[in-house]
């Protein structure tokens, strides 16, 4: 009777997997311990001629054959292997070739360069992060600060013998550091199993397995729990678009296109030397959505950043030949509908989870309601802002006045999506230089501009992301196989830069004007974005109340501006709350600007103005001290009344 119920349950799971509706397919496929202590192994290989279970328990010989079910899923129940044994599947493919393949649903792998799965039973954890989970469900994350510290887990810090930290080590050191620095979330580059460290985790083989390079699943669970106890969220990058080309992994699993497209041009990914998933295939949808939910639920993650979304949306995104769709265009409809389905499933189960897209085009609405035609993501990386702004800050200030639009163009589209402003790992590798090294001028000017850049990022509408090491201005490019240059902090300039970043992060968290009305144009007023000659940008960020606003002034030239005019909305006094050129941050100023009294002289759209000193390559943040908010009228409205 028990066996019959188990078989009925298996048939239901099998059917849902085949139709793309089994979002917990890892509970059916892969390796599972039975109540009698034996194990059942199942693998999807519909066109294989035969499949065997092999491992160190049978000297890797084909002595344990699997039986093919009608669905194309192969199955065997056996007492032979034990917990901790290594295993693979030996597959006689459709053309008769025999090859060893990994278990696509394995939850543990041996340490690279080995690629065998480890027979491992995951235990149910008794989580102690209930306060965090409850608060997260009650919080509107669109109207809260989101400041992400991006981390590559194995190169944040190394031991003295140059071995990387595991998650047990990171629990002791990374969490206190992130809390001290004032970030709200940690985002890890992919943690799933991958055979080549040089890929940074973006060419996966194990979609359900934490890389053994980083420790055990239980250690990562403990890390996430410890983060939540310190009010730090955890996000992880995930790669559902393409996978590793190594032939003992997923490619052409049964000798025919299984996980990949049948069309060779659509299957191969020339740009990254990988293979694209066939996102229209129901079984692949079951596989990938199951992977996403597994990571979110088993590890209590607070969100997922989906990598390389453009590659899933457009047939012509890659290099090489491409075939138009049935409408004659470049839209990859399979990818488009898969991403909508992914977000719909995740949000139905976990509405509080953050779904983030790394996407570089503007042809598709990425964030927003699926019913409106959008993909349903919560946030999109603003790659355009990142590219334009970094080009601007690399530029000799002589030319900046002719390219001021690079700094200001994002104001034209900043509300078209829900954006995260990323200064990510992609910008500090492959000869692009570190963020600090990109800045124009000598070392002092480079640090001045780095402080200016971070101030612009923190005050510009959108959530924030900064790659590790950038917070103190590491000069060397990031190296995936080395720890960060922590020795830099022995230098006064780097130490002061780290202190500045911490101060800026704290200001971001405490000043509601920087995030309370985000997503609405009410959050920002442009004071002057046309000052090309002096190359100074000024704008206001607003909170819900009239008196809650911050004036931002950015000087993008190495010329100090005395008696600089800034338009203000109300009569009263204004105080400086941040000056990036203070000595404590690495600058030369020992005293802030005095409190400024408004002058009843209009400036652009504002009825009043203040005059202040703006330091060379510096940024100022100014708040109202005592102002009268009644009866504000702009200079334009006064002029209109006078003409009438």
């Amino acid at each position: 009777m028990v066996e019959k119920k188990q078989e009925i349950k298996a048939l239901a799971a099998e059917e849902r997997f085949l139709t793309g509706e089994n979002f917990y397919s890892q509970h059916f496929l892969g390796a599972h311990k039975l109540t009698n202590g034996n194990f059942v192994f199942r693998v999807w290989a519909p066109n294989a001629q035969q499949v065997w279970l092999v491992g160190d328990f049978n000297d890797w010989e084909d002595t344990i054959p699997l039986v093919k079910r009608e669905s194309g899923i192969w199955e065997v129940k056996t007492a032979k292997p034990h917990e901790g044994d290594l295993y693979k599947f030996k597959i006689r493919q459709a053309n008769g070739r025999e090859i060893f393949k990994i278990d696509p649903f394995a939850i543990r792998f041996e340490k690279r360069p080995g690629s065998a799965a480890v027979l491992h039973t995951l235990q149910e954890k008794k989580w102690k992060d209930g306060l965090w989970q409850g608060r997260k469900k009650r919080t509107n994350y669109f109207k809260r600060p989101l400041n992400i510290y991006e981390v590559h887990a194995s190169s944040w810090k190394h031991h003295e013998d140059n071995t990387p930290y595991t998650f047990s080590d990171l629990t002791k050191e990374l969490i206190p550091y992130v809390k001290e620095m004032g970030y709200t979330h940690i985002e890890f580059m992919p943690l799933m199993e991958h055979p080549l460290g040089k890929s940074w985790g973006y060419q996966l083989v194990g979609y359900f397995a934490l890389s053994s390079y980083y420790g055990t699943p239980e250690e990562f669970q403990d890390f996430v729990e410890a983060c939540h106890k310190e009010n730090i969220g955890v996000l992880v990058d995930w790669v559902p678009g393409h996978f590793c080309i190594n032939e003992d992994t997923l490619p052409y699993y049964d000798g025919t296109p299984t996980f990949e497209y049948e069309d060779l041009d659509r299957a191969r990914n020339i740009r990254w030397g990988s293979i694209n998933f066939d996102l229209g295939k129901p079984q692949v949808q079951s596989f990938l959505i199951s992977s996403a939910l597994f990571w979110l639920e088993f590890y209590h993650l607070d969100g997922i950043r989906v990598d390389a979304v453009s590659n899933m949306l457009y047939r012509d995104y890659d290099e090489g030949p491409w075939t138009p769709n049935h409408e004659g265009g470049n839209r990859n409809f399979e990818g488009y509908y898969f991403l909508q389905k992914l977000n719909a499933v995740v949000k139905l189960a976990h509405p509080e989870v953050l779904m983030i897209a790394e996407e570089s085009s503007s042809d598709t609405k990425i964030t927003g309601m699926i019913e409106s035609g959008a993909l349903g993501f919560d946030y999109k990386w603003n790659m355009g802002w990142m590219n334009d702004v970094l080009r601007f800050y690399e530029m000799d200030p002589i030319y900046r006045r002719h390219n001021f639009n690079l700094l200001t163009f994002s104001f034209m589209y900043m509300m078209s999506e829900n954006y995260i402003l990323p200064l990510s790992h992609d910008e500090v590798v492959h000869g692009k230089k570190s963020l600090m090294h990109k800045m124009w001028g000598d070392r002092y000017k480079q640090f001045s501009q780095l402080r200016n850049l971070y101030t612009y990022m923190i005050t510009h509408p959108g959530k924030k992301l900064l790659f590790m090491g950038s917070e103190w201005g590491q000069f060397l490019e990031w190296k995936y196989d080395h720890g960060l240059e922590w020795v830099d902090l022995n230098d006064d300039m780097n130490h002061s830069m780290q202190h500045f970043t911490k101060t800026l992060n704290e200001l971001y968290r405490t000043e509601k004007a920087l995030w309370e009305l985000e997503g609405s144009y009410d959050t920002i007023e442009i004071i002057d974005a046309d000052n090309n000659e002096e190359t100074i940008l000024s704008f206001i960020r607003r909170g819900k109340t009239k008196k809650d606003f911050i004036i931002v002034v950015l000087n993008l030239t190495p010329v100090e501006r005395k008696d600089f005019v800034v338009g203000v909305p109300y009569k009263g006094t204004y105080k400086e709350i941040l000056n990036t050129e203070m000595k404590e941050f690495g600058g030369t100023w020992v005293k802030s600007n005095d409190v400024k009294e408004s002058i009843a002289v209009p400036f652009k759209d504002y009825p009043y103005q203040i005059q202040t000193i703006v330091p060379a390559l510096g940024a100022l943040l100014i708040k109202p001290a005592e102002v009268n908010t009644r009866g504000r009228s702009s200079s334009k409205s006064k002029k209109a009344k006078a003409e009438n």
Side-chain angles (χ1 to χ4, degrees):
M1 188 67 178
V2 173
E3 288 186 2
K4 187 172 183 180
K5 286 183 177 179
Q6 290 177 340
E7 180 59 24
I8 292 172
K9 188 175 180 180
L11 286 170
E14 188 174 40
E15 178 63 25
R16 291 196 303 274
F17 175 76
L18 297 175
T19 57
E21 299 299 322
N22 189 340
F23 307 133
Y24 294 91
S25 50
Q26 75 276 11
H27 295 163
F28 175 63
L29 288 128
H32 300 281
K33 196 169 190 176
L34 300 171
T35 54
N36 61 5
N38 294 345
F39 281 88
V40 59
F41 294 81
R42 299 188 184 98
V43 63
W44 177 55
N47 296 307
Q49 294 183 17
Q50 181 59 53
V51 178
W52 295 270
L53 175 67
V54 298
D56 51 8
F57 47 84
N58 67 349
D59 295 324
W60 302 94
E61 297 290 337
D62 51 6
T63 58
I64 305 176
L66 279 72
V67 176
K68 187 177 183 180
R69 299 166 68 98
E70 290 185 10
S71 62
I73 292 172
W74 296 76
E75 177 184 79
V76 67
K77 296 174 182 177
T78 174
K80 192 74 173 177
H82 297 88
E83 195 84 10
D85 285 346
L86 301 180
Y87 75 95
K88 284 188 174 183
F89 294 115
K90 182 178 179 181
I91 297 182
R92 181 180 295 151
Q93 296 181 314
N95 61 0
R97 181 190 182 209
E98 294 185 355
I99 185 172
F100 290 103
K101 287 281 192 178
I102 66 165
D103 177 0
F105 288 87
I107 54 177
R108 289 287 285 152
F109 284 88
E110 63 178 325
K111 287 189 176 180
R112 55 184 187 241
S115 60
V118 179
L119 197 55
H120 183 81
T121 302
L122 295 174
Q123 301 300 318
E124 192 71 29
K125 178 179 174 64
K126 293 182 179 179
W127 287 86
K128 300 175 183 177
D129 62 350
L131 285 176
W132 169 267
Q133 297 295 350
R135 190 182 307 117
K136 188 170 67 172
K137 289 179 179 179
R138 295 190 300 270
T139 299
N140 182 345
Y141 47 75
F142 289 113
K143 297 182 179 179
R144 295 292 301 165
L146 179 61
N147 191 6
I148 302 166
Y149 187 60
E150 188 188 23
V151 174
H152 181 252
S154 60
S155 61
W156 184 71
K157 190 176 281 191
H158 279 198
H159 295 289
E160 290 185 2
D161 62 358
N162 205 37
T163 56
Y165 275 24
T166 65
F167 271 105
S168 289
D169 301 317
L170 293 172
T171 299
K172 298 171 186 174
E173 293 196 34
L174 176 59
I175 296 173
Y177 180 77
V178 168
K179 184 177 182 180
E180 174 69 17
M181 289 299 295
Y183 291 99
T184 65
H185 288 70
I186 301 169
E187 179 179 320
F188 287 106
M189 294 161 67
L191 300 176
M192 301 81 186
E193 192 62 70
H194 53 284
L196 183 65
K198 193 175 182 179
S199 77
W200 312 335
Y202 290 100
Q203 295 198 13
L204 303 180
V205 297
Y207 276 77
F208 296 84
L210 177 79
S211 175
S212 56
Y213 201 65
Y214 302 137
T216 68
E218 293 77 14
E219 286 175 328
F220 185 47
Q221 283 183 318
D222 290 343
F223 174 88
V224 174
E225 181 178 73
C227 281
H228 289 170
K229 287 182 176 180
E230 297 296 341
N231 293 320
I232 298 169
V234 183
L235 314 170
V236 171
D237 287 5
W238 180 62
V239 191
H242 62 105
F243 54 91
C244 179
I245 202 169
N246 288 13
E247 71 168 1
D248 63 336
T249 61
L250 299 182
Y252 299 95
Y253 197 85
D254 63 9
T256 66
T258 310
F259 290 92
E260 56 277 276
Y261 290 103
E262 291 188 17
D263 182 338
L264 181 61
D265 288 335
R266 299 188 69 190
R268 72 182 166 188
N269 191 309
I270 299 172
R271 183 187 302 247
W272 295 312
S274 56
I275 298 185
N276 294 320
F277 279 109
D278 182 349
L279 298 173
K281 192 173 289 185
Q283 298 92 331
V284 172
Q285 293 176 3
S286 289
F287 173 74
L288 290 173
I289 296 176
S290 295
S291 169
L293 286 176
F294 170 76
W295 280 86
L296 289 168
E297 295 175 355
F298 184 75
Y299 293 110
H300 277 207
L301 295 182
D302 303 291
I304 286 176
R305 192 211 71 156
V306 179
D307 183 67
V309 168
S310 294
N311 180 64
M312 292 183 273
L313 287 178
Y314 305 108
R315 289 176 173 232
D316 60 347
Y317 181 77
D318 192 25
E319 303 163 3
W322 65 280
T323 305
N325 60 35
H326 65 278
E327 294 181 353
N330 68 342
R331 168 79 72 199
N332 180 3
F333 287 110
E334 294 94 332
Y336 178 87
Y337 291 120
F338 165 75
L339 289 167
Q340 286 189 325
K341 181 177 181 178
L342 166 70
N343 284 315
V345 170
V346 169
K347 284 299 187 177
L348 182 63
H350 303 286
E352 74 284 358
V353 158
L354 293 175
M355 295 298 289
I356 302 167
E358 187 258 339
E359 204 276 331
S360 55
S361 76
S362 58
D363 295 338
T364 301
K365 188 77 165 65
I366 304 299
T367 62
M369 300 294 289
I370 292 171
E371 292 80 1
S372 69
L375 294 182
F377 284 97
D378 296 301
Y379 290 104
K380 171 183 174 176
W381 274 21
N382 193 338
M383 313 291 281
W385 176 88
M386 178 180 69
N387 293 327
D388 287 348
V389 165
L390 290 179
R391 278 180 59 200
F392 184 87
Y393 278 87
E394 288 180 278
M395 194 177 292
D396 189 311
I398 292 174
Y399 305 109
R400 288 178 180 173
R401 66 191 183 97
H402 302 297
N403 295 276
F404 206 38
N405 64 307
L406 288 174
L407 197 68
T408 60
F409 179 63
S410 56
F411 291 140
M412 302 293 291
Y413 65 86
M414 60 187 170
M415 299 300 164
S416 62
E417 301 271 12
N418 299 324
Y419 283 118
I420 290 175
L421 308 179
L423 293 173
S424 71
H425 66 275
D426 279 321
E427 299 310 307
V428 296
V429 288
H430 298 326
K432 295 180 183 179
K433 304 178 183 178
S434 67
L435 293 182
M436 192 279 190
H437 196 186
K438 290 178 194 289
M439 301 296 106
W440 168 86
D442 60 31
R443 192 165 187 258
Y444 179 87
K445 293 185 177 71
Q446 287 177 320
F447 275 111
S448 293
Q449 289 168 103
L450 198 61
R451 295 191 295 270
N452 191 304
L453 168 62
Y454 292 175
T455 303
Y456 186 42
M457 176 179 72
I458 287 292
T459 58
H460 189 292
K463 307 306 184 184
K464 328 297 175 185
L465 178 142
L466 187 67
F467 184 60
M468 63 182 194
S470 303
E471 70 272 20
W472 71 73
Q474 177 171 304
F475 183 79
L476 296 178
E477 282 191 342
W478 167 59
K479 300 175 184 176
Y480 76 92
D481 53 352
H482 288 74
L484 295 178
E485 299 290 327
W486 292 94
V487 67
D488 287 350
L489 293 174
N490 294 328
D491 179 272
D492 287 341
M493 294 293 285
N494 290 111
H495 191 268
S496 296
M497 184 69 214
Q498 184 191 47
H499 170 58
F500 171 77
T501 304
K502 175 186 173 182
T503 302
L504 193 63
N505 288 347
E506 289 174 348
L507 186 145
Y508 171 64
R509 291 181 74 136
T510 57
E511 293 292 343
K512 293 182 179 181
L514 295 176
W515 40 263
E516 197 171 37
L517 296 178
E518 207 156 53
S520 162
Y521 277 103
D522 292 337
T523 192
I524 188 167
E525 293 178 13
I526 307 300
I527 299 175
D528 191 359
D530 302 315
N531 190 345
N532 296 45
E533 286 302 314
E534 292 178 296
T535 322
I536 294 183
L537 172 65
S538 56
F539 57 92
I540 294 175
R541 290 298 306 277
R542 283 195 168 275
K544 288 183 179 179
T545 64
K546 283 187 175 182
K547 290 185 179 181
D548 188 13
F549 62 91
I550 295 177
I551 298 168
V552 183
V553 184
L554 304 168
N555 184 358
L556 289 313
T557 70
V559 180
E560 181 177 278
R561 305 295 181 180
K562 298 183 183 297
D563 300 323
F564 183 77
V565 175
V566 181
V568 295
Y570 307 118
K571 180 181 179 179
T573 56
Y574 292 81
K575 63 181 179 181
E576 190 175 276
I577 62 169
L578 184 75
N579 183 327
T580 61
E581 282 301 298
M582 296 302 293
K583 193 168 184 178
E584 65 173 304
F585 302 140
T588 58
W589 284 44
V590 294
K591 183 177 180 296
S592 299
N593 283 300
D594 295 331
V595 173
K596 301 298 179 181
E597 182 81 31
S598 66
I599 304 169
V601 176
F603 179 83
K604 294 217 165 186
D605 289 351
Y606 294 87
Y608 304 97
Q609 64 175 254
I610 58 172
Q611 295 181 4
T612 190
I613 302 172
V614 186
L617 296 173
L620 303 179
L621 299 186
I622 301 167
K623 283 194 71 173
E626 294 291 336
V627 296
N628 181 359
T629 60
R630 289 176 295 177
R632 173 195 172 183
S633 60
S634 70
S635 57
K636 282 187 177 180
S637 62
K638 283 186 175 181
K639 182 179 179 181
K641 288 178 181 178
E643 289 175 351
N644 290 334

